[in-house]
Amino acid sequence: MMGKFIIAPALFLSGISGVQAADVVVQEPVPKYNWSGLYVGAEAGYAWGKSTYDEPDFSTAYNMYYDPKGGFGGIYFGYNWQFENNLVLGGEADFYGGDIKGRSDYYIDHVPIGVGEVWGDAKLRWAGSVRARLGYAVDRFLPYVAGGVAFGQLKFGHMDTSANWEDGWDRSETHTGWTIGGGLEYAFTENLIGRLEYRYTDFGKRTIPLDYEKDLPTTHVSLKTNDVRLGIAYKF
């Protein structure tokens, strides 16, 4: 009789344990996001910069300070390689254009002359870059830095309407320089990746020889820009 009282609770407890064991669900670990692969994207942003025009052939300083700014849009594409230590290396190229432009008075010895009558303007018609990227993957987040070669075409000119007649000229020159920046990417899905990026670009200084047909002096033109951009890409 005593044996029955001992066996019954044991069976009851055993049954409870069996039910609890059956309720335990073994969950597979969620794999981390892998950043390796080819991607193509579209971007939009806002840029502001410094662009200086000067005529070094003369002892007197003749200058304009265009300082273009404005919005732009473009495309980018690249490839990432993710390593076991979560480092991500990549290469990327981009191309963009927009309404990045500015206007300047004409300065002699750093004093503006003919304000409203003698002036110049400039516009960054298009630009692009080829960059290397280095990032550290935190699952679906990827903070990164990037840098490389930059190039762009700047159209600039000068206009004089002070004598009741218009006398002006403009030129387009392609600049080559360098760019550096950084940003943060986030993988919304396995294929859709968004980004926020800041970039500084020095397009360099172009020396443009004397143009005898237009009676223009040798000029130096430089351009440096800062920009903030948003992008969305598809990873294959």
Side-chain angles (χ1 to χ4, degrees):
M1 191 70 175
M2 181 65 68
K4 293 182 178 180
F5 285 107
I6 296 174
I7 294 173
L11 292 174
F12 178 74
L13 292 174
S14 175
I16 293 177
S17 299
V19 172
Q20 290 178 338
D23 289 340
V24 174
V25 177
V26 178
Q27 294 185 351
E28 294 292 334
V30 179
K32 291 185 178 181
Y33 185 80
N34 192 310
W35 290 87
S36 296
L38 174 70
Y39 59 90
V40 178
E43 62 185 359
Y46 184 84
W48 65 99
K50 294 287 184 182
S51 180
T52 302
Y53 163 99
D54 66 80
E55 301 170 356
D57 291 344
F58 304 102
S59 57
T60 300
Y62 295 89
N63 302 94
M64 284 184 281
Y65 308 96
Y66 299 117
D67 298 348
K69 57 186 175 182
F72 63 89
I75 59 174
Y76 61 94
F77 63 92
Y79 196 97
N80 288 323
W81 293 268
Q82 181 171 341
F83 300 92
E84 291 183 0
N85 58 2
N86 292 330
L87 284 179
V88 178
L89 297 180
E92 182 177 295
D94 68 286
F95 184 86
Y96 58 95
D99 197 33
I100 307 172
K101 61 185 179 182
R103 176 173 290 198
S104 172
D105 294 321
Y106 193 55
Y107 289 77
I108 296 179
D109 283 334
H110 307 287
V111 177
I113 67 165
V115 175
E117 297 179 330
V118 184
W119 47 272
D121 57 12
K123 180 177 181 178
L124 183 61
R125 305 180 75 175
W126 55 262
S129 70
V130 177
R131 305 182 299 155
R133 301 204 315 159
L134 172 63
Y136 184 83
V138 185
D139 196 9
R140 290 182 176 272
F141 288 93
L142 180 67
Y144 66 91
V145 294
V149 178
F151 45 88
Q153 187 179 82
L154 180 68
K155 180 181 179 181
F156 60 95
H158 175 268
M159 179 66 69
D160 186 347
T161 61
S162 59
N164 295 321
W165 57 279
E166 293 190 355
D167 179 26
W169 54 266
D170 61 68
R171 297 189 63 153
S172 295
E173 297 291 334
T174 300
H175 292 238
T176 302
W178 56 273
T179 184
I180 192 170
L184 177 65
E185 291 188 333
Y186 180 75
F188 295 103
T189 70
E190 288 299 307
N191 304 105
L192 200 61
I193 301 173
R195 73 161 52 165
L196 170 65
E197 182 180 270
Y198 164 79
R199 193 181 302 185
Y200 173 82
T201 304
D202 186 340
F203 288 97
K205 178 184 288 187
R206 285 296 307 271
T207 299
I208 301 161
L210 180 69
D211 187 333
Y212 290 99
E213 292 183 0
K214 293 185 178 180
D215 194 26
L216 301 180
T218 298
T219 61
H220 287 166
V221 179
S222 64
L223 174 62
K224 301 175 182 179
T225 63
N226 299 270
D227 70 66
V228 177
R229 57 186 74 192
L230 291 171
I232 189 74
Y234 184 88
K235 183 171 81 73
F236 295 90

